[in-house]
């Protein structure tokens, strides 16, 4: 009888209950380092989950990603940054952000910090898939954060929409599965940026319905101009980069009081397993990244 | 079932060293066939024949695979090649730490290409950077082609005079390349560099420090001009650029003027257009990175109405816009031409004023931009608000 009691549970008895899971592994969150963003996410990015940043061109998605990477690197954590748009050019912006932050506070070892960011420049989705696959195959990776920027730029050239588009969908699903698997396997937060396509007034996140199931959390980014999320009346024709509502920074805008070259971005929760959908927060992005 | 038979066949090669059993790992996550760069028809045939994972292809010879799956010999060979490429690539061959990438950027002797407008050079961080794709967009007549012609000549300034000392390729889709105007700019550039050379030699500089200024004809010979008359030709030229750059490694600048012209009328199939444009952006960016050349694409702008006001948006839509890392907008402000950096990986977004004159693109002193006039002689005012 004692032997039977000591035997481990088998079959259906071996399935853990929700309480067991709660006790065994409390949900870990990864703090991004930006107070506003962490508050919006109620703590930070969820580890083991994929967070997607969507927005029109030039809204600040890449800047948010770089800022999170820099915060992690300065803390001594290693980051994998897969970049499909500008590649190795990101190194200069990373160095800038680190220099700006280090200047304000105590002496920061920028060289060590820059060694903490593994910057992988990819020019097609196959290279990105190779990298993700090798992450999955390795039993333990040194990274605490994985960022993929940007998935629509990598996939767009390969998507064919013909009556359902079977082949493109397979590839999208493959990328989605790999990202989720990497996040779950290594209990990392994975951040991925996606674009929005459409007309001036509104638009849909790219890559369609197959992709939208990938991310556990989705944040919509939009630049804010002159205190309004709507553009104020202009005297003459203004330039709009995507949803940007004009780019002339008038003095007396809400970023006055912030360092020069700072702009405000409104981030809205569009999908999240735990937070209410629709909650939003305003963050500022300056030379040092997320302020 | 056919696959199981194949596995049971005697004489089959043992699994390679990456087999989980050999490594003693727990179940390795299986990589699906869809993640290999294969033609969709080939991938479909493989999946139908029962090969779902990359591991299923390991150890098979071409003839075996062809027989098993029903692929042609050539397709089976492609599949096996894709597999071996994928397996041989270690974890991120292009991976470098940000530190290594940054040091590579700092120590590379590649200067940016100056525009001759000091304000614009400052905004760009020295000039148009090499190794990147930069887009220049703006309304018609603001000076995009003028700036492009200035750049294909400026790239040839010898390194001794602070230039890049390279050649250029000009891909003309609109027919807007004016050889007479290029000759004018080349003559004035040659004169300008000649003066610097003379001053240096007078000050006692050696021949290496003050080489002969390039003559006008030399400058014009340093630009290869491709004329692309329709979409297909434009795509073909973009593909052929790789071969051109391999043949002529002195090329440091590729200008595509304009990328939008052949694609704007094609409103019928916008999703295909988005895909083709995204592929083009990716090809051009990869070209810039791999060969260390500056790629400049000239784009038009389109006007969109928003709540009764007009505003300018770069043409070609978001499929193109997302793939561009750096964008400069040229526009009119009153009578002055302005250049604003509207998207950049590294620089703050600032404005510079410039003017177009006989010698080319130059700085604009405050408010003294050249007045434009319409063909009928009446002066053209600032772009008015359209309702």
């Amino acid at each position: 009888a004692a032997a039977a009691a000591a035997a481990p549970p088998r079959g259906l008895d071996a399935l853990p209950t929700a309480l067991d899971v709660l006790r065994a592994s409390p949900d870990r969150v990864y703090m991004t380092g930006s107070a506003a963003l962490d508050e919006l996410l109620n703590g930070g990015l969820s580890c083991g989950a994929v967070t997607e940043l969507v927005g029109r061109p030039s809204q600040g998605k890449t800047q948010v990603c770089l800022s999170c990477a820099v915060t992690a690197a300065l803390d001594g954590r290693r980051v994998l940054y897969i970049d499909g748009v500008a590649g190795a050019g990101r190194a200069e912006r990373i160095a800038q952000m680190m220099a700006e932050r280090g200047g304000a506070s105590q002496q920061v070892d920028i060289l060590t910090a820059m060694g903490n960011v593994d910057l992988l420049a990819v020019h097609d989705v196959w290279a990105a898939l190779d990298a993700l696959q090798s992450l999955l195959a390795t039993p333990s990776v040194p990274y605490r954060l994985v960022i993929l920027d940007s998935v629509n730029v990598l996939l767009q050239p390969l998507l064919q929409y013909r009556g359902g588009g079977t082949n493109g969908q397979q590839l999208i699903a493959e990328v989605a599965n790999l990202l989720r698997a990497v996040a779950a396997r290594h209990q990392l937060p994975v951040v991925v940026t996606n674009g929005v396509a459409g007309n001036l007034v509104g638009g849909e996140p790219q890559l369609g319905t197959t992709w939208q199931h990938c991310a556990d959390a989705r944040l919509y980014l939009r630049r804010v101009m002159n205190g309004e999320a709507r553009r104020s009346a202009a005297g003459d024709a203004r330039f709009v980069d995507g949803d940007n509502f004009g780019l002339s920074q008038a003095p007396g805008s809400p970023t006055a009081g912030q360092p020069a070259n700072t702009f405000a971005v409104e981030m809205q929760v569009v999908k999240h397993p735990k937070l209410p959908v629709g909650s939003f927060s305003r963050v500022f992005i300056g030379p040092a990244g997320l302020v | 079932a056919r696959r199981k038979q194949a596995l049971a066949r005697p004489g089959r090669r043992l699994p390679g060293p990456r087999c989980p059993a050999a490594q003693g790992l727990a179940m390795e996550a299986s990589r699906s066939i869809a993640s290999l760069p294969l033609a969709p028809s080939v991938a479909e045939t493989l999946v139908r024949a029962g090969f779902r994972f990359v591991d299923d292809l390991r150890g098979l010879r071409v003839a075996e695979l062809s027989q098993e799956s029903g692929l042609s010999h050539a397709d089976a060979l492609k599949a096996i090649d894709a597999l071996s490429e994928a397996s041989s690539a270690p974890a991120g061959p292009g991976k470098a730490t940000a530190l290594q990438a940054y040091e590579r950027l700092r120590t590379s002797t590649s200067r940016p290409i100056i525009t001759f407008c000091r304000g614009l050079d400052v905004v760009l961080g020295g000039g148009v950077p090499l190794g990147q794709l930069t887009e220049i967009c703006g309304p018609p007549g603001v000076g995009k082609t003028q700036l492009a012609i200035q750049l294909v000549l400026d790239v040839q300034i010898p390194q001794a005079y602070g230039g890049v000392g390279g050649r250029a390729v000009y891909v003309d889709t609109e027919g807007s390349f004016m050889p007479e105007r290029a000759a004018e700019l080349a003559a004035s550039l040659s004169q300008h560099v000649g003066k610097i050379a003379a001053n240096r030699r007078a000050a006692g500089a050696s021949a290496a420090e003050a080489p002969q200024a390039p003559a006008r004809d030399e400058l014009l010979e340093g630009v290869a001009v491709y004329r692309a008359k329709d979409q297909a030709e434009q795509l073909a030229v973009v593909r052929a650029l790789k071969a051109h750059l391999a043949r002529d490694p002195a090329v440091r600048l590729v200008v595509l003027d304009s990328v939008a012209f052949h694609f704007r009328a094609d409103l019928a199939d916008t999703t295909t257009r988005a895909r083709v444009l995204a592929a083009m952006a990716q090809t051009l960016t990869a070209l810039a990175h791999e060969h260390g050349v500056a790629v400049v694409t000239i784009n038009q702008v389109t006007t969109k109405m928003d709540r009764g006001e007009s505003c300018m948006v770069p043409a070609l839509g978001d499929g193109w816009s997302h793939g561009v890392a750096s964008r400069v907008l040229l526009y009119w402000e009153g009578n002055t031409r302005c250049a604003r950096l509207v998207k950049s990986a590294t620089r703050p977004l600032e404005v510079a004023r410039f003017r177009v004159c006989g010698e080319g693109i130059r700085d604009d002193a405050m408010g003294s931009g050249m007045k434009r006039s319409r063909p009928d002689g009446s002066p053209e005012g600032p772009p008015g608000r359209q309702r």
Side-chain angles (χ1 to χ4, degrees):
Chain A
R10 297 176 58 186
L12 289 176
D13 295 335
L15 291 176
T17 65
L19 188 61
D20 294 331
V21 175
L22 182 64
R23 282 198 191 124
S25 54
D27 255 330
R28 285 164 47 224
V29 285
Y30 175 92
M31 291 174 57
T32 60
S34 157
L37 183 53
D38 285 338
E39 204 186 303
L40 175 69
L41 295 171
N42 207 19
L45 299 166
S46 318
C47 288
V50 178
T51 305
E52 184 184 350
L53 304 176
V54 295
R56 305 299 291 273
S58 282
Q59 300 301 296
K61 311 184 285 293
T62 299
Q63 297 301 311
V64 170
C65 289
L66 287 169
S67 188
C68 292
V70 165
T71 311
L74 289 171
D75 274 346
R77 291 179 249 174
R78 287 190 67 182
V79 180
L80 177 62
Y81 196 105
I82 307 176
D83 188 282
V85 183
R90 299 290 182 210
E92 207 178 317
R93 179 63 175 132
I94 292 175
Q96 257 179 31
M97 279 191 187
M98 289 191 177
E100 293 279 337
R101 291 193 203 188
S105 59
Q106 70 278 12
Q107 188 64 273
V108 179
D109 192 358
I110 294 185
L111 290 181
T112 320
M114 284 195 68
N116 282 338
V117 178
D118 275 356
L119 188 58
L120 177 59
V122 296
H123 295 300
D124 52 52
V125 71
W126 312 114
L129 284 172
D130 276 343
L132 291 171
Q133 189 66 37
S134 69
L135 270 189
L136 201 55
T138 324
S140 81
V141 294
Y143 307 117
R144 299 289 301 279
L145 175 62
V146 173
I147 299 176
L148 174 60
D149 179 19
S150 110
V151 72
N152 63 305
V153 168
L154 289 174
L155 281 171
Q156 193 79 37
L158 297 166
L159 302 181
Q160 301 185 46
Y161 300 93
R162 41 186 178 101
T166 23
N167 301 306
Q169 304 303 314
Q170 235 179 16
L171 200 49
I172 296 176
E174 182 66 23
V175 175
N177 287 339
L178 269 180
L179 288 169
R180 293 179 64 86
V182 165
R185 173 87 185 266
H186 300 295
Q187 283 299 299
L188 296 170
V190 172
V191 179
V192 60
T193 60
N194 190 10
V196 165
N199 55 31
L200 190 65
V201 181
E204 287 291 312
Q206 291 191 294
L207 303 180
T209 43
T210 314
W211 173 258
Q212 75 186 19
H213 299 294
C214 166
D216 299 291
R218 193 178 238 186
L219 300 173
Y220 187 81
L221 274 75
R222 178 193 250 189
R223 259 208 221 196
V224 170
M225 282 311 306
N226 295 334
E228 307 292 324
R230 303 226 149 279
R231 184 160 59 93
S232 50
D236 43 349
R238 299 248 277 201
F239 176 71
V240 175
D241 190 2
D243 220 10
N244 233 353
F245 304 129
L247 286 154
S248 51
Q249 192 81 35
S253 55
T255 55
Q258 302 274 356
N261 294 315
T262 306
F263 60 93
V265 174
E266 198 170 83
M267 300 183 71
Q268 187 171 40
V269 174
V270 177
K271 176 182 176 187
H272 202 282
K274 287 178 280 231
L275 297 175
V277 164
S279 51
F280 63 90
S281 161
R282 197 168 283 191
V283 298
F284 294 96
I285 299 180
L290 279 172
V291 171
Chain B
R2 275 158 55 196
R3 192 162 51 92
K4 289 205 178 79
Q5 276 177 19
L7 289 173
R9 214 179 293 147
R12 191 174 183 290
R13 283 203 297 239
L14 289 171
R18 280 178 67 131
C19 168
Q23 280 180 325
L25 282 178
M27 172 73 161
E28 185 185 69
S30 316
R31 179 171 174 173
S32 88
I33 295 277
S35 72
L36 289 178
L38 295 171
S41 53
V42 172
E44 261 182 64
T45 317
L46 284 174
V47 167
R48 256 186 274 121
F51 296 91
R52 280 176 51 232
F53 298 112
V54 158
D55 288 337
D56 300 336
L57 287 181
R58 281 187 215 282
L60 282 182
R61 295 199 182 78
V62 175
E64 287 171 357
L65 179 60
S66 164
Q67 197 183 17
E68 279 293 307
S69 57
L71 284 174
S72 71
H73 227 74
D75 285 338
L77 183 60
K78 278 189 211 155
I80 304 248
D81 279 345
L83 170 66
S84 60
E85 263 181 46
S87 328
S88 63
K95 189 164 62 170
T97 62
L99 182 63
Q100 291 164 335
Y102 184 67
E103 288 187 339
R104 220 176 289 152
L105 282 176
R106 291 290 103 188
T107 56
S108 70
T109 48
S110 57
R111 299 188 179 98
I113 306 171
I114 64 170
T115 60
F116 261 93
C117 167
R118 221 157 307 166
L120 182 53
D121 285 340
V122 165
V123 167
L124 291 171
V128 173
L130 296 188
Q132 273 189 43
L133 172 62
T134 308
E135 176 169 295
I136 298 178
C137 57
V142 74
K144 308 187 290 294
T145 301
Q146 299 292 316
L147 184 54
I149 297 178
Q150 183 75 64
L151 286 172
V152 296
L153 298 172
D154 287 346
V155 71
Q156 301 181 57
I157 297 174
Q159 289 192 355
Y161 299 114
V164 174
R167 296 160 61 83
V169 175
Y170 193 105
V171 181
D172 184 10
T173 61
E174 297 182 354
S176 56
F177 181 76
M178 296 162 284
E180 305 82 9
R181 180 65 173 145
E184 216 183 347
L185 263 65
S188 107
L189 177 64
S190 174
Q191 218 176 24
H192 183 102
V193 177
K195 273 192 217 145
I196 301 178
N199 286 342
R200 280 200 190 177
R201 267 184 246 121
S206 65
E209 289 165 4
Q212 186 77 12
R216 183 200 77 159
D217 288 351
E218 219 180 297
L219 287 171
L220 290 176
E221 283 204 319
V223 183
V225 180
Y226 280 101
R227 176 86 172 88
K229 295 186 215 67
D230 55 37
Q231 267 189 31
E233 279 188 31
Q234 182 176 339
L235 293 169
V237 168
V238 168
R239 291 255 180 87
L241 281 173
K242 203 177 160 101
H244 183 115
L245 294 180
R247 219 172 42 229
D248 189 1
V251 171
R252 292 267 77 92
L253 169 66
V254 174
V255 171
L256 182 46
D257 180 13
S258 65
V259 67
F261 186 68
H262 292 306
F263 286 89
R264 292 194 66 177
D266 194 14
L267 297 170
D269 190 0
T270 46
T271 45
T272 308
R273 190 185 85 153
R275 173 170 61 91
V276 166
L277 290 172
M280 194 162 54
Q282 205 176 64
T283 312
L284 291 171
T285 310
L287 201 72
H289 286 180
E290 280 160 28
H291 296 263
V293 301
V295 176
V296 172
T297 54
I298 312 271
N299 197 4
Q300 299 163 347
V301 291
T302 182
T303 319
K304 294 223 158 139
M305 302 301 296
D306 178 38
R307 286 178 290 278
E309 299 202 28
S310 71
C311 42
M312 292 191 277
V313 180
L316 301 182
D318 292 327
W320 170 258
S321 278
H322 276 296
V324 169
S326 189
R327 180 178 285 124
V328 177
L329 168 75
L330 306 184
Y331 60 101
W332 285 96
E333 195 174 77
N335 280 330
T336 324
R337 293 172 211 254
C338 299
R340 176 193 290 272
L341 188 62
V342 294
K343 184 172 182 182
S344 169
T346 50
R347 311 287 313 159
L349 309 179
E350 289 169 344
V351 189
R353 289 192 171 84
F354 68 100
R355 62 190 168 94
V356 178
C357 56
E359 296 111 40
I361 303 279
R362 294 291 184 271
D363 270 312
D364 174 67
M366 281 299 291
S368 63
M370 211 167 74
K371 278 184 167 44
R372 297 164 71 211
S373 54
R374 290 185 231 255
D376 63 359
S378 60
E380 192 165 309
R385 188 149 50 140
Q386 295 153 34
R387 292 192 205 283

